[in-house]
Structure formats: C-alpha cells, structure tokens
Amino acid sequence: TVLILDFGSQYSHLITRRIRELGVYCELLPCTQKMADLHFQPKGIILSGSPYSVYDKDAPRVDPSVFDAGVPILGICYGLQEMTTFMGGQVDACEHREYGHAVLSVRKHPNHPFVDTLFAGLEGDNVQVWMSHGDQVSAAAPGFTVIAETRTAPFAAVAHEEKPFFGKLSQVGCEWSEILTRFIYLMIGIQFHPEVTHTVDGPQLLRNFVIGICQCDASWTMESFVDKEIERIRSVVGPIDHVIGAVSGGVDSTVAARLMHEAIGTRFHAVLVDNGVMRLNECANVKKMLGDKMGINIKVADAADLFLGRLKGVTDPEQKRKIIGNTFINVFEEEGGLIEQELERSQSDGKIKYLLQGTLYPDVIESISFKGPSATIKTHHNVGGLLDDMKLKLIEPLRELFKDEVRALGKILGLDDELVWRHPFPGPGIAIRVLGEVTKEQVEIARLADNIYIEEIKTNGYYRNISQAYAALLPIKAVGVMGDKRTYEQVIALRAVETKDFMTADIFASAEWFVCLKRISARIINEVKGVNRVVYDISSKPPATIEWE
Ligand code: XMP
C-alpha cells in the first residue's frame, strides 16, 4: 500500500486514481494523519499539492514522523515545499504564478541510481510536464540536490543527496535481506504534477516511484477486490448473523447489495422504502431486478402515503429533506423490527447486527478532510441516524472505491449496463424536483415529464454523454394556446449536466441536442396534462447547483 497524504489539492484524488490504475493499492488520508495511528505499513508515501502556501499561518503541516517512516517519500508541488521547509530550505512566492505546460530537463546522476529509476523513460531535455503553483523552492534544503529543472523552476525536482540509506532496525520486524530491498529511505520532491494528464509521462513517473523505487506489487485488480471483500464480509459478519441494508435502485446500493448477497446469501435483507417520490415504476423495477433476477431477499415498505402526509404544506427545501430523512429512518427501523420478529419466529440463532451502506471513497475523504466538514449547502439524505437507534454496526464494502471503480465492480458482478451507467438520483427524490408543496398530483406530473425526457435521451443515444438529467416542475403558471384555446398551466424545467465529480458541472449543450430538446418539449406538452411550457436550465454549477432545491 502507498500512503498519500492530502493537503487539500484539487488533484489529490487523481494521484490516488493514477496509482490504482497501475494496479497498486493506495490510500488517501488527510495530511494531519499521525503515523502512529496508521492501520497499515505503507511501502511509500506521497505528499500532495495544496491551495495553501507553506508560509501561511494556517498552512497544513505534516506529522514530522512521516520523514522518519523509513520508506521513500515523494513530495508533489506543496509536498515538495513542505519537505523543503521542514528540512531547512526556503520557499517563496514566484514573481509570476506558473500554470500550464513546462519543459523539464532531467540531469544525469550516475551516483544516484534512484534518480535514474525515477526518471526511467523520461530522460532528456524535453520532458513535457504540467505546472500549477504560485510558490516555489528558492533554496533547496541542506543535503538536497537538483535532479531536474525547467526554464522558470531551477528546483523543479530535488532528491536527498545522501539518502538512500537503510531504515532503522527498530522500525523493522523482518529479515535483513528484506530490509535491504524494502526499507530504503529516499526523499524526492517535484514541483510539477505527474497526476494530471497534461504531464504526458506522468503515469510512467508514478510507476517508477511506486513500483521501481517503493517496490510495491502491481496486483490490485477489481477481481481481486471482489474475492477479498467477500472474504472480509464473511469474517466480519460470521456464520449466523444477519445484515440489513436500504436499496434504492441506484448503482451504489445495488452493487453493495449484490456483493453482500454473494457473501452471505439470504442472511442479507434488502429494504426498499417506497417514499412516494420515486421515479415512474421504480419500486416494481427494483424489486424485479434485485429480487427476481439476482435472488436477493428484498422487502418493499409501502410508505408513500406516510411520506406525502408529512410533506403536506411544506415548501422549504431543507425542511423537505429533513422530513424525508427522518421518515425514512422511522420506516426503515420498523421494517428492521419486522424482519427481526420473523427471525425470532423461525427460531434463527442469528440476529441483525450490521447495517450495509454503499458509501464511496469520495464521501469518506470529504468527511475526514483536514479542513473539517465544509459548510452545509444542502443536507444530503443518508441513513446515518439508524446506527444509534438500531444499535447496528456499519459495514461499507465500497468505502475504498471511486464511482467508476464501483461501475467496474458492477460489471464484474454481472449487473446490466443500463444499471451500471444509471444517472444519480437524490435520496429525497422527486420531492426536491417539485418546487413548492409536494402533492401526489404534482409528483405525478414531474414523474411523467421526467419519464418522457429520460426515454428520449436514451432513444437518441445521449444517456451516456450526459452525467445527470431530470425534469423539475416549477410552482408557477404560464399562459399558452392549445387548439385555439387559452391555457394557463405549469412549467417543466429540463436539466442536463456534464460533470466528473458532481462538485462542479456544465450544462449539456450542442446544436443537435437543442433539436432533440424541441421534440422532447413537444412530447411533454402533448402528453403530460397540466403542462403548457418547457424550459431548459442553462445554469452551470457553481453558482447554481445540479438540483433546483
Ligand atoms: P447538487 O444539487 O448539490 O447535487 O449540486 C449534487 C449531486 O448530489 C445529488 N443530490 C443528492 N443525493 N441525497 C442524495 O442522495 C440528497 O439529498 C441529494 N441532494 C442532491 C444530486 O442529484 C447530484 O447528483
């Protein structure tokens, strides 16, 4: 495993991705991680970039024992600057911020075999790299030597002159021969970003570091992940106890449920809560897919009236989210109680002890970032409250994976393409897409319009190009004319965005797409009663958000 310490750079996740793509397992943890509390022994450490300057008063600092861990360290951008400051060098603001392509000249270091290993395949004076920094090293720390430079960055890459040396015996619980090969202590810092695609040979450089220098195995594959995770689930849950988990029809909860079912069969109980604000025919479809097709033990809790009753008269978006979140917990707990009673009746020895959640890696990182939880923009619906009330332990088989890795896992587990590539759908469902009060009738209008929209997107081959699309129902009326008669009806807003991480998003737009939108608009107005106007939302995120509420 490689440890990546995150100083908050927008590229930190990319370092993690690139290394996993090499087949090497790595973990991204906040830079404040104490080495003494690490739950694994890393074979190498990478220090990420950061939006901070090392000389800022509140600049993030690394645990000093990182530099004493006895494994090779690679500092990238801020990581290099942090390493330099810590070791007694100097970092200053550049006269001009450098953002973009740069050409790197790599120096030969016959006495330093690790420099050659690091730059294997990137030799010469014309290595294309990507820079993004406002500060740079102005004096290397004592003991460091320049191993590559660019026109504007004389310290574009530095390495410790005397190290490598061998790790201290006290840190090592293994044979001498292994010490010689595994515990080499090397410090390298680079100003450029090998993790972004503009650094053409970035993957090669990272490979050279993690496989060549740190000597990690490139054996991490999704198939190996499946086997290991199934084994892990079995050993955690044991031979008799049961697991309960909510499913929604989305890719994360379906993949988590499928994995759990593979591991413990019918001792996994999936619960689908019908909250009355799901998509058209969603409950029946999910039940068919998980229950009939995959053989998962699934129960549908029909709570549509309860949810809609509690939402009556409520128009505030945050209020809607809270009501839906709390009601969800009530219904899920009640379902859990019923399943438990059934287990007792059947005189099963096991009890429900675990709650399955499809938490992904970005959610985990977000919540443990050194910056602390970011200000609440929207309260996202989750089932966290269940743990306290139901006294369950959490089990999260996807917590190490990124979204596209979950999709790859879904494919390995035999899920249909349609499901694997499904757009995300928010927990509070159509309730946050019906602006204003949520009634059965309003939900039905939004649902029918959305169904036509998604159907057309699929038939016209746009579904995979769009990251998320949906129809929202606006709480206003507009005048129209249909068959010579004046109409006064509601407005549907169509949204379609392209995004990688859902943190920022651009609208989906092209000349052909607008022609398609014309057809979709005509279909919605003709087929959905109560709508006489369709608009397309052309706001990007930020300043707008993807959902309207
Ligand atoms: P926003 O509207 O914040 O949405 O730009 C970003 C992504 O999150 C989804 N979203 C939610 N997902 N519960 C969820 O499970 C929620 O409460 C929720 N609110 C927004 C949204 O659909 C988009 O994919």
Side-chain angles (χ1 to χ4, degrees), residues 305-314 323 326-328 330-331:
D305 291 342
L306 179 68
F307 277 84
L308 290 171
R310 290 192 185 172
L311 285 167
K312 198 162 187 287
V314 179
I323 291 172
N326 291 338
T327 310
F328 179 90
N330 300 153
V331 174

Side-chain angles (χ1 to χ4, degrees), residues 321 378-381 424 426-428 432 468 502 541 545-547:
R321 281 167 192 275
K378 296 175 185 184
T379 319
H380 275 218
H381 161 101
I432 56 166
Q468 189 170 6
F502 295 88
K541 173 183 178 176
T545 52
I546 294 174
E547 301 292 343

Side-chain angles (χ1 to χ4, degrees), residues 202-503:
Q204 180 64 39
L205 185 132
L206 290 172
R207 169 189 289 278
N208 293 344
F209 179 70
V210 297
I211 298 175
I213 292 177
C214 303
Q215 304 198 349
C216 293
D217 296 331
S219 58
W220 193 76
T221 60
M222 206 38 92
E223 280 83 0
S224 66
F225 173 85
V226 173
D227 296 341
K228 269 196 225 141
E229 195 50 33
I230 288 177
E231 269 317 298
R232 193 186 73 90
I233 293 171
R234 284 184 184 146
S235 74
V236 168
V237 178
I240 53 170
D241 286 323
H242 293 243
V243 177
I244 188 170
V247 288
S248 66
V251 58
D252 304 343
S253 68
T254 310
V255 168
R258 182 91 174 84
L259 203 55
M260 193 51 83
H261 179 71
E262 285 277 316
I264 60 168
T266 51
R267 282 187 292 132
F268 168 58
H269 308 265
V271 175
L272 175 65
V273 175
D274 181 357
N275 56 14
V277 284
M278 291 169 76
R279 284 167 285 196
L280 193 68
N281 303 326
E282 183 77 351
C283 279
N285 290 343
V286 174
K287 188 158 193 288
K288 207 154 78 193
M289 179 179 61
L290 270 76
D292 304 347
K293 241 177 121 181
M294 299 182 193
I296 293 175
N297 217 343
I298 182 170
K299 278 195 133 190
V300 180
D302 176 7
D305 291 342
L306 179 68
F307 277 84
L308 290 171
R310 290 192 185 172
L311 285 167
K312 198 162 187 287
V314 179
T315 54
D316 177 67
E318 277 299 289
Q319 193 71 20
K320 287 183 188 174
R321 281 167 192 275
K322 287 209 175 90
I323 291 172
I324 293 173
N326 291 338
T327 310
F328 179 90
I329 291 176
N330 300 153
V331 174
F332 189 86
E333 275 175 2
E334 200 178 309
E335 252 348 279
L338 293 176
I339 296 172
E340 203 130 57
Q341 283 171 19
E342 262 171 46
L343 288 179
E344 273 162 27
R345 269 200 303 276
S346 67
Q347 299 188 329
S348 149
D349 289 333
K351 285 199 172 354
I352 302 179
K353 290 218 177 127
Y354 293 89
L355 174 70
L356 172 71
Q357 265 196 356
T359 322
L360 305 193
Y361 203 53
D363 310 325
V364 178
I365 303 164
E366 200 114 294
S367 59
I368 57 172
S369 159
F370 72 92
K371 286 174 281 186
S374 54
T376 304
I377 296 169
K378 296 175 185 184
T379 319
H380 275 218
H381 161 101
N382 62 50
V383 290
L386 289 170
L387 292 174
D388 303 335
D389 289 3
M390 295 178 85
K391 298 188 178 58
L392 298 176
K393 285 187 222 137
L394 195 57
I395 190 158
E396 298 175 306
L398 312 181
R399 62 176 282 125
E400 293 169 0
L401 306 181
F402 289 93
K403 187 81 177 188
D404 56 339
E405 291 176 325
V406 172
R407 293 204 162 110
L409 177 58
K411 282 196 81 82
I412 290 173
L413 292 170
L415 268 52
D416 290 344
D417 263 9
E418 182 145 358
L419 196 146
V420 164
W421 290 104
R422 210 158 187 213
H423 292 176
F425 183 71
I430 293 176
I432 56 166
R433 294 174 175 179
V434 165
L435 278 67
E437 189 182 355
V438 184
T439 63
K440 213 173 182 162
E441 295 72 29
Q442 291 281 281
V443 170
E444 197 54 22
I445 296 177
R447 190 178 264 156
L448 292 174
D450 186 73
N451 192 55
I452 294 173
Y453 186 33
I454 301 298
E455 207 175 86
E456 287 289 332
I457 286 177
K458 285 185 177 161
T459 351
N460 289 285
Y462 286 110
Y463 195 76
R464 287 278 291 274
N465 301 331
I466 295 173
S467 312
Q468 189 170 6
Y470 69 88
L473 179 63
L474 306 188
I476 47 163
K477 285 187 164 184
V479 173
V481 54
M482 268 174 120
D484 292 338
K485 273 211 193 109
R486 178 187 190 271
T487 58
Y488 188 51
E489 290 178 335
Q490 273 180 280
V491 182
I492 282 285
L494 301 181
R495 187 96 166 112
V497 294
E498 281 181 285
T499 170
K500 281 219 148 49
D501 55 10
F502 295 88
M503 306 292 284

Side-chain angles (χ1 to χ4, degrees), residues 165-214:
F165 61 78
F166 300 114
K168 294 181 207 129
L169 243 192
S170 60
Q171 292 171 325
V172 186
C174 61
E175 299 292 328
W176 259 110
S177 58
E178 226 183 309
I179 296 167
L180 291 175
T181 53
R182 284 188 48 202
F183 289 87
I184 290 162
Y185 186 22
L186 177 73
M187 282 165 100
I188 303 168
I190 53 178
Q191 183 57 70
F192 55 92
H193 289 271
E195 69 276 26
V196 304
T197 46
H198 310 285
T199 296
V200 181
D201 293 316
Q204 180 64 39
L205 185 132
L206 290 172
R207 169 189 289 278
N208 293 344
F209 179 70
V210 297
I211 298 175
I213 292 177
C214 303

